[in-house]
Amino acid sequence: MSDYQRSRALRTRAPASRTGLLLAGLGLGLAASWLYVRAKTREVEREHPPEGKFVTVDGVRLHYLERGEGPVLVLLHGIGVHAKDFELSGVLDAAARHYRVIAFDRPGYGYSERPRTTVWTPERQARLLHRALQELQIQSAIVLGHSWGTLPALAMGLQAPEVVRGLVLLGGYYYPSLRAEVPFTGAPALPVVGDLLSHTVSPLLSRMLWRPVTRRTFAPMPVSGRFKGLPVWMALRPKQLRATAADSAMLVPGAAMLARHYGELKVPVRILAGTGDRIIDFTHNSERLQGGVRDGQLELCPGVGHMLHYAHPEKVVAAVDAIAAQVGEPVLLRDARAEALARASESGV
C-alpha cells in the first residue's frame, strides 16, 4: 500500500472512530441519568409515602386525601402537581371546616395509577372519578377544579348532573387556542422515545427549569412559601412526567371537545381567575365561559396569577359556600366554642 492510500484510509477511519466515541459517551450519559433519576424517585417516595386512602375503580387504583365532615367537596388539581397542592394552598383544611373534602390524585399523578391502555381525555378521567365517588357511596358533591383539573370537572358536570351539584373553576383553560409549549412539554408522552426521555433527560431538564417555571406560574405575585413544601421530585418522577406530558398534549383537543357542550350544563358554575395570569388568558377563557353557561358567575382577582388558590384560599371557599347555599346543601357550621363544648362532652368533663 502506498503512502497516499495509507493516509486516505486513516482519514476515513477517523470520523468513524469519533462517531463511535460520541455514541459511547451518549450511552454512558443516558445510563448515568437513568440511575440518578431512579435513585431520586425511590428517595422521594420513601421520604413522602402516601398520606391518604386508596380506591380501586375499573382496575385503576386512585389515591386521595380526605378531611372533614358535611356536604362532599371534590378537588381536582392541575398539571404538574398532585392533591398535596390543595393542602399546601390552605384550601383543603379551610374547606374541611364545613365540608367532607376529597382531593384526588388524578390518574398518573401522586400515587394514582394511569394505565397506558387508555387515552385519558377529560371525559375519560371524569367517568373514572364519578365511578370512584360511587364506590365511596357518595351521592352528591360540589366539584372544584384548578387549571387542567377544570376540564374533568366540567365533564363530570355534563355527565352526571344528578351527582354534581355545582362547579367551582379556578384559572381554567376552556376554549382551544394556540399553545406553543405543547410540542415540547408533550414529548415524554411519545411512544418509546417518551419512555427514554422521561427516565433520563426530561427529569433533569425539568429540575433545572423548576424555579423559573414556578415563578412564572405564580407571577405577578412571588412564589408562595407554602408551595415550597411540595416535594419537587414527586413531580419529576417518570410516571408523573408522562402524565403531565399526556395531559399537556390533550389540553387543546380536550377543551375543543368540551366547549361544544358548555351550554348544556344544568348545574351552577362559579368561575375564578387572576387578571395577572401568565399561563392562561382569562379573557379568552374565564370571561368567555361565563357567557357560555346557563348559570355562571365570574369573580376576577386583580393582580393575581395562575395560582390564585394560594393568594386567596378564602375566596375559593366562599365560592364553594355560594354554590352550597344556592343548591341547598346543609353546610355544618362550626365555631371554636361549639367545638370546645363537643370535645368536653366526648371526654365526659
Side-chain angles (χ1 to χ4, degrees):
M1 181 183 295
S2 68
D3 291 341
Y4 170 77
Q5 290 173 323
R6 280 194 294 269
S7 175
R8 186 176 181 182
L10 288 172
R11 286 197 302 269
T12 302
R13 285 197 295 267
S17 299
R18 285 195 294 269
T19 301
L21 288 172
L22 286 173
L23 290 175
L26 177 62
L28 288 173
L30 290 174
S33 299
W34 182 83
L35 289 170
Y36 181 76
V37 169
R38 185 185 183 193
K40 295 298 290 186
T41 297
R42 290 181 172 181
E43 178 185 346
V44 75
E45 291 183 343
R46 183 173 61 252
E47 294 177 352
H48 301 276
E51 298 178 12
K53 304 174 183 178
F54 289 91
V55 59
T56 300
V57 182
D58 299 334
V60 182
R61 194 170 186 239
L62 294 174
H63 176 253
Y64 64 95
L65 304 177
E66 182 174 0
R67 308 274 171 81
E69 299 177 357
V72 176
L73 171 64
V74 174
L75 306 180
L76 304 179
H77 62 82
I79 280 181
V81 292
H82 53 288
K84 183 81 173 176
D85 180 59
F86 284 115
E87 180 183 54
L88 295 172
S89 70
V91 168
L92 192 155
D93 288 331
R97 296 170 188 160
H98 299 157
Y99 302 89
R100 177 188 175 189
V101 185
I102 296 176
F104 282 103
D105 284 341
R106 290 193 297 104
Y109 295 84
Y111 282 100
S112 289
E113 296 175 345
R114 187 181 180 109
R116 297 192 186 187
T117 52
T118 299
V119 178
W120 291 100
T121 63
E123 291 90 345
R124 185 64 188 85
Q125 294 193 32
R127 284 194 292 272
L128 182 73
L129 293 166
H130 177 209
R131 289 277 293 109
L133 295 181
Q134 290 178 321
E135 191 70 23
L136 296 173
Q137 299 184 349
I138 293 170
Q139 297 179 349
S140 70
I142 296 170
V143 180
L144 182 155
H146 172 243
S147 192
W148 207 97
T150 60
L151 294 178
L154 282 161
M156 287 180 73
L158 288 164
Q159 292 172 7
E162 73 284 357
V163 174
V164 178
R165 304 298 306 278
L167 298 172
V168 178
L169 308 175
L170 315 177
Y173 179 88
Y174 312 116
Y175 297 95
S177 61
L178 180 63
R179 304 290 295 188
E181 77 279 6
V182 168
F184 303 99
T185 56
L190 294 171
V192 184
V193 175
D195 283 316
L196 177 63
L197 291 174
S198 62
H199 283 84
T200 56
V201 178
S202 292
L204 303 183
L205 291 176
S206 298
R207 184 65 185 92
M208 292 171 60
L209 295 171
W210 182 265
R211 288 186 180 179
V213 168
T214 300
R215 285 197 295 266
R216 183 168 179 263
T217 304
F218 275 88
M221 301 183 70
V223 177
S224 170
R226 299 191 303 275
F227 183 79
K228 295 175 182 177
L230 190 77
V232 176
W233 272 94
M234 282 294 290
L236 305 184
R237 294 170 302 155
K239 76 154 195 168
Q240 184 151 327
L241 279 180
R242 282 189 58 85
T244 296
D247 280 355
S248 179
M250 184 56 64
L251 182 63
V252 175
M257 287 187 287
L258 284 172
R260 298 192 296 267
H261 303 288
Y262 294 152
E264 302 168 17
L265 275 169
K266 299 176 182 179
V267 301
V269 183
R270 294 296 180 275
I271 308 160
L272 281 74
T275 62
D277 194 331
R278 299 179 184 177
I279 305 299
I280 295 175
D281 180 5
F282 75 93
T283 57
H284 177 75
N285 291 283
S286 296
E287 288 186 342
R288 184 177 173 186
L289 181 66
Q290 181 188 18
V293 296
R294 297 179 185 179
D295 184 1
Q297 294 188 25
L298 170 65
E299 180 177 1
L300 296 178
C301 302
V304 175
H306 193 59
M307 305 294 273
L308 62 91
H309 53 309
Y310 281 84
H312 295 300
E314 75 288 349
K315 290 187 177 182
V316 174
V317 177
V320 176
D321 290 342
I323 290 284
Q326 181 175 347
V327 300
E329 289 284 12
V331 178
L332 176 63
L333 297 177
R334 304 177 183 174
D335 56 40
R337 185 168 178 267
E339 290 187 350
L341 288 173
R343 286 193 298 270
S345 173
E346 291 172 358
S347 64
V349 178

